[in-house]
Amino acid sequence: MVDYNRQSLDAVVREGLWEKFESMFRNFGWDVVIVKYGRLMRAAFAEPGGEALKRWIDDCPNQLYAALCFQGGAAFRKHLRTRSAIRARCRS
Protein backbone atom coordinates (compact mmCIF):
# COMPACT_ATOMS: atom_id res chain seq x y z
CA MET A 1 0.00 0.00 0.00
CA VAL A 2 1.27 3.43 -0.95
CA ASP A 3 -0.27 6.33 0.93
CA TYR A 4 -0.22 9.23 -1.48
CA ASN A 5 -2.30 11.89 0.23
CA ARG A 6 -0.35 14.81 -1.22
CA GLN A 7 1.08 15.67 2.17
CA SER A 8 4.51 14.97 3.56
CA LEU A 9 6.43 15.73 6.70
CA ASP A 10 9.73 16.32 4.92
CA ALA A 11 8.87 17.45 1.37
CA VAL A 12 6.04 17.80 -1.12
CA VAL A 13 5.69 14.75 -3.36
CA ARG A 14 6.62 15.44 -6.98
CA GLU A 15 3.77 15.84 -9.49
CA GLY A 16 2.82 12.66 -11.33
CA LEU A 17 4.71 10.33 -8.99
CA TRP A 18 1.60 8.23 -8.34
CA GLU A 19 1.37 7.48 -12.08
CA LYS A 20 4.86 5.99 -11.99
CA PHE A 21 3.96 3.88 -8.94
CA GLU A 22 0.77 2.69 -10.61
CA SER A 23 2.56 1.76 -13.83
CA MET A 24 5.41 0.01 -12.02
CA PHE A 25 3.14 -2.16 -9.87
CA ARG A 26 0.81 -3.00 -12.79
CA ASN A 27 3.89 -4.06 -14.79
CA PHE A 28 4.79 -6.43 -11.92
CA GLY A 29 1.32 -7.96 -12.28
CA TRP A 30 -0.21 -6.41 -9.18
CA ASP A 31 -3.84 -5.36 -8.97
CA VAL A 32 -3.70 -1.61 -8.35
CA VAL A 33 -6.63 0.02 -6.58
CA ILE A 34 -6.59 3.79 -6.26
CA VAL A 35 -8.61 5.15 -3.37
CA LYS A 36 -8.53 8.87 -3.91
CA TYR A 37 -11.58 10.53 -2.36
CA GLY A 38 -12.88 10.02 1.16
CA ARG A 39 -16.51 9.99 2.27
CA LEU A 40 -16.61 13.72 3.05
CA MET A 41 -15.08 14.67 -0.30
CA ARG A 42 -17.53 12.47 -2.20
CA ALA A 43 -20.39 14.13 -0.29
CA ALA A 44 -19.02 17.58 -1.18
CA PHE A 45 -18.82 16.58 -4.85
CA ALA A 46 -22.55 15.71 -4.76
CA GLU A 47 -23.39 19.30 -3.71
CA PRO A 48 -23.95 22.16 -6.17
CA GLY A 49 -20.55 23.17 -7.55
CA GLY A 50 -19.13 19.78 -6.59
CA GLU A 51 -17.85 18.95 -10.07
CA ALA A 52 -15.90 22.23 -10.15
CA LEU A 53 -14.44 21.44 -6.71
CA LYS A 54 -13.41 17.95 -7.86
CA ARG A 55 -11.81 19.37 -11.00
CA TRP A 56 -9.93 21.94 -8.91
CA ILE A 57 -8.63 19.27 -6.51
CA ASP A 58 -7.50 17.08 -9.40
CA ASP A 59 -5.79 19.98 -11.19
CA CYS A 60 -4.26 21.66 -8.13
CA PRO A 61 -0.45 21.44 -8.02
CA ASN A 62 0.83 19.46 -5.03
CA GLN A 63 2.80 22.39 -3.67
CA LEU A 64 -0.29 24.64 -3.51
CA TYR A 65 -2.48 21.84 -2.12
CA ALA A 66 0.07 21.09 0.62
CA ALA A 67 0.39 24.79 1.50
CA LEU A 68 -3.40 25.19 1.76
CA CYS A 69 -3.65 22.02 3.89
CA PHE A 70 -1.04 23.46 6.24
CA GLN A 71 -2.88 26.81 6.43
CA GLY A 72 -6.25 25.18 7.10
CA GLY A 73 -9.85 25.45 5.94
CA ALA A 74 -10.01 29.25 5.96
CA ALA A 75 -7.14 29.40 3.45
CA PHE A 76 -8.85 26.85 1.19
CA ARG A 77 -12.11 28.80 1.27
CA LYS A 78 -10.39 32.13 0.59
CA HIS A 79 -8.41 30.66 -2.31
CA LEU A 80 -11.49 29.05 -3.87
CA ARG A 81 -13.64 32.18 -3.42
CA THR A 82 -10.94 34.39 -4.98
CA ARG A 83 -10.48 31.99 -7.87
CA SER A 84 -14.24 31.78 -8.42
CA ALA A 85 -14.63 35.59 -8.34
CA ILE A 86 -11.81 36.03 -10.88
CA ARG A 87 -13.39 33.47 -13.19
CA ALA A 88 -16.81 35.17 -12.92
CA ARG A 89 -15.27 38.55 -13.85
CA CYS A 90 -13.57 37.03 -16.88
CA ARG A 91 -16.89 35.67 -18.17
CA SER A 92 -18.65 39.05 -18.04
Side-chain angles (χ1 to χ4, degrees), residues 24-64:
M24 180 180 69
F25 285 108
R26 284 194 195 282
N27 288 336
F28 288 138
W30 290 37
D31 290 326
V32 176
V33 177
I34 298 173
V35 181
K36 186 171 183 179
Y37 307 112
R39 180 178 46 85
L40 295 176
M41 276 190 169
R42 291 191 309 270
F45 298 155
E47 297 288 325
E51 274 302 312
L53 175 63
K54 184 176 184 286
R55 205 171 26 257
W56 179 84
I57 289 172
D58 287 345
D59 294 343
C60 184
N62 287 343
Q63 207 158 358
L64 174 59

